[in-house]
Amino acid sequence: MAKVAFIGLGVMGFPMAGHLKQKGGHDVTVYNRTSAKADEWVAKFGGKAAATPAEAARDAEFVFTCVGNDDDLRSVTLGETGVLSGMKAGAILIDNTTASAEVARELEAAAQEKGIGFIDAPVSGGQAGAEGGVLTVMCGGDEENFEKARPVIDGYARMVGLMGPVGSGQLTKMMNQICIAGVVQGLAEAVHFGKQAGLDIEKVIEVISKGAAGSWQMENRYKTMNAGKYDFGFAVDWMRKDLDIVLTEARRNGSRLPVTALVDQFYGDVQQMGGKRWDTSSLLARLDKK
Ligand SMILES: NC(=O)c1ccc[n+]([C@@H]2O[C@H](COP(=O)([O-])OP(=O)(O)OC[C@H]3O[C@@H](n4cnc5c(N)ncnc54)[C@H](OP(=O)(O)O)[C@@H]3O)[C@@H](O)[C@H]2O)c1
């Protein structure tokens, strides 16, 4: 059993912190900007809530963060009330936010000054993966810190991998999002085409999902896409944040991502249609629009 702090009880963080307490059996202290959510968490799982990130992190051996973007991450880690000001030397900060590789390196440097370890550990698997404790976790950091943190991370994960030095977890998540952008647009075009052609989409997917066209997106999203339902899942606003991180990194490392850049603009269209919080499969709504 370890002493753990968890900062950010959103769609992902709330159940992830819950697994650390219930499945992992750790001593968990949480912090959430909107304190009502922290109270709700304590009522559901036990443990303690703190008034600031620094206070939550005091004496913890492992501190987890799962907030929105780079700036949110800076605001809960740096400065007087940030976790780094409360953490003790020898502790490890594990960041589950999908953020840039640059901010990961920035936080590693700030942590090192205080003798604190840092691991960037973005996740994949969505709300369902977080609630089921079966996320895929892509880590960047040194091996010693990783081996210490891994048994704790296992509490909410099915697959945990060390991809290389700090920043490599975020770079891996970028590859993940590049794959998703292309696959979802391809699936949206196929379903749109099938409907225009008068095919029975259920029947078609039953057959082609077993062949080379099959994918997680096809298996898990075709039903709701066919029904035009998008008010759930991984929000378009979050995907655009992720693709912005990807395209910025691509400009830096000289890679060419023409399809990703195009799909990012398609998601901009979906936002204009009112779909900011719709699931990423809503690329079909843009094509089906009369
Ligand atoms: N949702 C998914 O399916 C999914 C899948 C994979 C990865 N992710 C990534 O995981 C991260 C969290 O996603 P989520 O869906 O859990 O988001 P969310 O439901 O919007 O929750 C965000 C959390 O961060 C906190 N927060 C945001 N800005 C903050 C700030 N400046 N200071 C303090 N706290 C702040 C929020 O506090 P309040 O409660 O006060 O707003 C909330 O607890 C994101 O980077 C996202 O891209 C999400």
Side-chain angles (χ1 to χ4, degrees), residues 8-12 32-34 37 66-68 72 75-76 97-98 123 126-127 173 234 238 241-242:
L9 303 173
V11 167
M12 301 298 282
N32 197 68
R33 179 178 57 183
T34 308
K37 256 197 234 169
C66 188
V67 292
D72 300 331
S75 83
V76 296
T97 309
T98 301
V123 301
Q127 182 173 357
K173 174 77 183 185
F234 184 58
W238 278 142
K241 182 259 298 180
D242 292 1

Side-chain angles (χ1 to χ4, degrees), residues 14-181:
F14 194 98
M16 288 163 76
H19 284 298
L20 294 179
K21 176 85 178 71
Q22 283 190 332
K23 199 165 121 197
H26 302 296
D27 175 3
V28 182
T29 302
V30 296
Y31 165 83
N32 197 68
R33 179 178 57 183
T34 308
S35 60
K37 256 197 234 169
D39 296 341
E40 192 191 323
W41 190 91
V42 171
K44 185 163 182 191
F45 297 107
K48 293 181 284 294
T52 66
E55 198 186 309
R58 197 151 292 134
D59 298 330
E61 300 158 75
F62 302 95
V63 176
F64 290 81
T65 46
C66 188
V67 292
N69 59 27
D70 283 19
D71 284 341
D72 300 331
L73 183 56
R74 287 188 185 99
S75 83
V76 296
T77 51
L78 306 171
E80 233 173 78
T81 58
V83 290
L84 286 174
S85 79
M87 287 173 75
K88 58 184 184 190
I92 301 175
L93 172 58
I94 300 139
D95 176 42
N96 296 126
T97 309
T98 301
S100 67
E102 210 181 342
V103 76
R105 294 182 200 113
E106 187 183 316
L107 290 184
E108 180 192 33
Q112 261 172 1
E113 275 180 26
K114 297 172 179 245
I116 295 165
F118 179 79
I119 298 171
D120 52 308
V123 301
S124 169
Q127 182 173 357
E131 287 171 355
V134 291
L135 291 167
T136 294
V137 190
M138 303 154 245
C139 299
D142 75 40
E143 215 156 320
E144 201 187 320
N145 287 332
F146 176 74
E147 288 309 329
K148 280 189 206 155
R150 187 189 188 134
V152 186
I153 297 173
D154 274 341
Y156 57 72
R158 178 164 59 195
M159 167 62 94
V160 186
L162 178 63
M163 314 315 299
V166 165
S168 308
Q170 296 296 355
L171 293 170
T172 303
K173 174 77 183 185
M174 290 177 214
M175 269 187 72
N176 189 80
Q177 301 307 73
I178 293 166
C179 292
I180 288 176

Side-chain angles (χ1 to χ4, degrees), residues 225-240:
M225 288 170 85
N226 197 26
K229 279 196 184 146
Y230 305 112
D231 56 346
F232 70 99
F234 184 58
V236 166
D237 274 356
W238 278 142
M239 187 59 165
R240 284 216 87 194

